Amino acid sequence: MPHFSYDEVPYPDYCYEETHPSRMEMLGKLLGMTPTSVEHCHVLEIGCAGGGNILPMAAVLPNSTFVGIDNSIVQIESAQADLQASELTNLTFRHMDIMDITPEFGQFDYIIAHGIYSWVPPAVRDKLLDVCKHNLTPQGIVYVSYNTYPGWHSLEIIRDMMLYRTRDSQSPIEKSAQAREWISFMAHALSDHSDSAYAALFENYLAFRVTQTTELDHQALLHDELSDFNTPVYFHQFATHVEQHGLQYLTESDFPTVMPNGLTDDVVQHLSETARTTVEMEQYMDYLRNRTFRRTLLCHAEVEVNRQLRIDPIRQFYVTSAASSQTVDADITGRGIERFIGSNQIAFATDHPLTKAAFHYLIASAPQRVHFDVLVRQSELSLGISEPSGNDRVALAANLLRAFASSFELVEFHSFAPPLVTTISDRPVTTPLLRLQARQGHVLANLLHQRTNLEHLNRVILMNLTGENDHVILLDFLVNLVQKGTISLEEGSPISQTEDEVRAMMSNQLDTALQILAHRALLVG
């Protein structure tokens, strides 16, 4: 069976919010560490591909330094071209093999290794952890992602089938197409067995694949499920391997997954009586949840980790909420219960006025990150509180912590706030990197390190937000594109229109587009 290299088929080049050093710093502080501020730190990404993950980090953290390495010369050359176009001076890309890294390569406060551990030979896995030990500062934090059992036992059935079906394929496109076709065939062939767990396995896998773009699906399928190496492990095995290299488990980047959310009190009680260590508890939770993938944070074995969640660190953080209120005509000043819910349907209920006011302020401020002190003051002002109560502020911090531990959709903490703006200026501006990404495709990494999809018109506008073009210049540009037939008016518009009518319509579309760009955290001050 031919092997298709990363030079032939580059790995999907996107950002991954869970890998951001800001997330690592925040969780480290929450658990008693003193990690370096992300605004003045050194970051290494091992396996950086074309730079899609590390470039946006460097763009919003100009006083930090970044290094990305990859053993694909094609991807490194692509990354270096984007680096030059992005006008960044705090990032270096190097074509090198992880096996060539020595302690002399440098010390880093944050090390990112996304999509490597499970997909390389044992010697490389050892070297990866060796680098994480010897090239990590004393209070540094590592991000490692990997496939896990027990969930991957069922996925191995699918992998084995796809590998057998594609054993004679001669091109990457043929291989991924044959693999998808076979799983679709299996799902169809078993469709009459809706009560079968075996049939559900294929349906669930296809449902996951539908969420991927065509390009991402092709690239990820070849390098993940169809990779020459794909070695899932039980979490306890990973933890033992980590300990052998002088490191220890810190937590998961997706922190709410380590909490017993959704479990009954008697289940939690039984787990507490059974698990003797944090590692055992995490392993039992994986059994319960049939976990397939982990995004784990590590630190040095010598670091003292405090797993008792405290409210003190929260006073250093910025806060956001992606929730909405479920309560009609909510009275934030009274003691009535108000429910806030995230898009994942996880809810948080409270009758505490200051907490309700804080949620409403966060929702109204999105996507801005609000410092805890500012959130407290603004929430008190909205309630007309002139003499703040220390107890109320403690209750607010505790409630925010409870919501955070339940779901990032309800509350998320951050260690810094990027320079995004939500008010449209006379001459709106975005970063050179975002203008570059808008020219390259529709998936962008916004200033919050989240992926966002833009329609063609919004991308065209974003490409021209240099800070030099005011509303009139932008509007003239768009009207000219309409006249050339490069862009079209809104669907349903009359076919024949005067120039003034076209101008009025495009002015409305420009205003709407700028609001969309601001709401999606794509504009800077």
Side-chain angles (χ1 to χ4, degrees):
M1 181 176 64
H3 170 66
F4 303 115
S5 71
Y6 287 91
D7 287 347
E8 293 177 270
V9 184
Y11 194 76
D13 203 21
Y14 297 123
C15 71
Y16 299 90
E17 185 179 8
E18 63 273 11
T19 69
H20 201 285
S22 173
R23 174 83 63 86
M24 295 192 234
E25 180 192 356
M26 178 272 296
L27 289 171
K29 287 181 175 178
L30 193 65
L31 297 176
M33 292 181 64
T34 55
T36 301
S37 167
V38 294
E39 297 184 75
H40 298 88
C41 69
H42 301 288
V43 179
L44 170 65
E45 182 171 27
I46 302 170
C48 65
N53 191 43
I54 198 170
L55 275 162
M57 296 176 186
V60 298
L61 293 167
N63 296 318
S64 295
T65 58
F66 297 80
V67 177
I69 71 164
D70 201 281
N71 63 2
S72 165
I73 185 62
V74 170
Q75 292 194 293
I76 286 297
E77 287 176 348
S78 174
Q80 289 172 334
D82 286 353
L83 175 62
Q84 184 175 2
S86 302
E87 304 173 14
L88 298 172
T89 59
N90 61 335
L91 171 58
T92 302
F93 288 110
R94 295 189 59 175
H95 174 227
M96 67 183 301
D97 194 304
I98 186 176
M99 302 301 286
D100 297 328
I101 298 179
T102 66
E104 288 70 36
F105 188 69
Q107 293 279 292
F108 298 90
D109 303 300
Y110 301 98
I111 297 177
I112 302 164
H114 177 68
I116 297 176
Y117 185 88
S118 287
W119 298 270
V120 292
V124 182
R125 289 200 293 273
D126 281 329
K127 180 62 178 180
L128 173 63
L129 295 184
D130 182 68
V131 170
C132 292
K133 172 61 181 178
H134 293 104
N135 295 83
L136 186 69
T137 54
Q139 287 287 317
I141 299 175
V142 177
Y143 168 98
V144 183
S145 63
Y146 50 99
N147 286 334
T148 55
Y149 294 130
W152 245 90
H153 279 303
S154 57
L155 289 176
E156 280 180 325
I157 297 173
I158 289 178
R159 168 175 158 81
D160 290 345
M161 284 185 182
M162 291 193 294
L163 288 175
Y164 182 77
R165 174 65 182 87
T166 63
R167 66 195 184 281
D168 297 323
S169 59
Q170 296 301 310
S171 72
I173 293 293
E174 182 185 4
K175 189 178 185 70
S176 63
Q178 284 181 348
R180 287 194 301 270
E181 180 273 331
W182 180 255
I183 299 305
S184 296
F185 165 77
M186 288 293 296
H188 176 72
L190 296 170
S191 60
D192 290 339
H193 305 275
S194 58
D195 58 344
S196 163
Y198 188 56
L201 172 64
F202 297 95
E203 287 294 340
N204 291 338
Y205 180 78
L206 287 176
F208 159 71
R209 277 287 162 211
V210 165
T211 66
Q212 313 298 305
T213 65
T214 301
E215 181 182 19
L216 176 60
D217 179 80
H218 168 64
Q219 296 169 326
L221 185 62
L222 287 170
H223 292 306
D224 289 349
E225 285 93 318
L226 298 177
S227 171
D228 283 358
F229 292 96
N230 191 324
T231 311
V233 292
Y234 282 103
F235 174 71
H236 72 86
Q237 294 172 323
F238 176 79
T240 297
H241 193 198
V242 163
E243 291 165 4
Q244 291 169 350
H245 287 267
L247 299 165
Q248 67 170 314
Y249 173 70
L250 179 62
T251 188
E252 294 299 301
S253 181
D254 41 354
F255 182 78
T257 64
V258 308
M259 306 300 290
N261 298 314
L263 303 180
T264 62
D265 290 343
D266 61 325
V267 169
V268 174
Q269 177 66 28
H270 186 79
L271 287 174
S272 301
E273 294 170 352
T274 305
R276 296 166 298 178
T277 65
T278 298
V279 169
E280 287 188 4
M281 176 63 80
E282 287 295 300
Q283 183 59 75
Y284 290 136
M285 294 276 279
D286 280 7
Y287 289 146
L288 277 171
R289 291 172 171 163
N290 196 35
R291 193 159 187 160
T292 61
F293 189 71
R294 273 186 173 264
R295 303 173 178 90
T296 294
L297 302 187
L298 308 173
C299 63
H300 285 292
E302 300 81 14
V303 172
E304 291 188 16
V305 178
N306 185 351
R307 301 190 185 280
Q308 294 295 118
L309 296 185
R310 300 163 295 117
I311 64 171
D312 291 347
I314 295 172
R315 291 163 179 157
Q316 310 171 52
F317 296 155
Y318 295 84
V319 191
T320 56
S321 176
S324 59
S325 175
Q326 272 196 314
T327 306
V328 179
D329 298 326
D331 177 16
I332 64 172
T333 62
R335 277 288 178 178
I337 294 177
E338 185 169 3
R339 283 172 55 85
F340 299 91
I341 189 167
S343 61
N344 55 8
Q345 301 305 305
I346 295 177
F348 178 81
T350 180
D351 65 353
H352 184 236
L354 190 62
T355 301
K356 292 188 285 185
F359 265 99
H360 281 281
Y361 186 80
L362 291 172
I363 293 168
S365 300
Q368 291 276 17
R369 294 175 178 177
V370 182
H371 195 277
F372 178 77
D373 289 341
V374 174
L375 178 62
V376 170
R377 288 196 299 271
Q378 293 298 324
S379 301
E380 289 173 341
L381 283 174
S382 69
L383 294 174
I385 296 175
S386 56
E387 296 183 7
S389 162
N391 290 337
D392 260 350
R393 293 184 174 188
V394 168
L396 169 61
N399 283 333
L400 291 176
L401 182 57
R402 284 174 49 219
F404 166 81
S406 297
S407 169
F408 284 165
E409 290 286 311
L410 293 171
V411 164
E412 188 166 2
F413 298 134
H414 313 272
S415 62
F416 94 114
L420 67 89
V421 295
T422 53
T423 302
I424 309 300
S425 66
D426 293 335
R427 298 175 186 272
V429 60
T430 189
T431 67
L433 176 61
L434 280 167
R435 292 198 296 273
L436 172 67
Q437 290 182 335
R439 290 194 296 271
Q440 292 175 334
H442 60 89
V443 181
L444 288 73
N446 70 9
L447 299 168
L448 301 175
H449 211 64
Q450 301 164 335
R451 295 180 207 171
T452 184
N453 289 270
L454 287 185
E455 295 178 350
H456 178 65
L457 176 62
N458 294 340
R459 287 172 49 213
V460 169
I461 293 171
L462 191 69
M463 292 179 214
N464 289 275
L465 301 186
T466 62
E468 299 173 347
N469 301 325
D470 60 16
H471 192 282
V472 173
I473 294 175
L474 292 170
L475 181 56
D476 287 342
F477 172 71
L478 293 179
V479 171
N480 185 47
L481 291 183
V482 171
Q483 292 170 340
K484 291 180 177 179
T486 305
I487 61 175
S488 58
L489 297 173
E490 289 181 330
E491 188 176 346
S493 301
I495 297 176
S496 178
Q497 293 180 311
T498 66
E499 182 174 338
D500 286 344
E501 289 173 332
V502 170
R503 192 172 189 84
M505 289 193 64
M506 292 312 299
S507 179
N508 289 334
Q509 288 195 46
L510 175 58
D511 291 340
T512 299
L514 290 173
Q515 290 296 334
I516 290 172
L517 297 178
H519 182 71
R520 295 193 184 179
L522 294 168
L523 303 184
V524 296

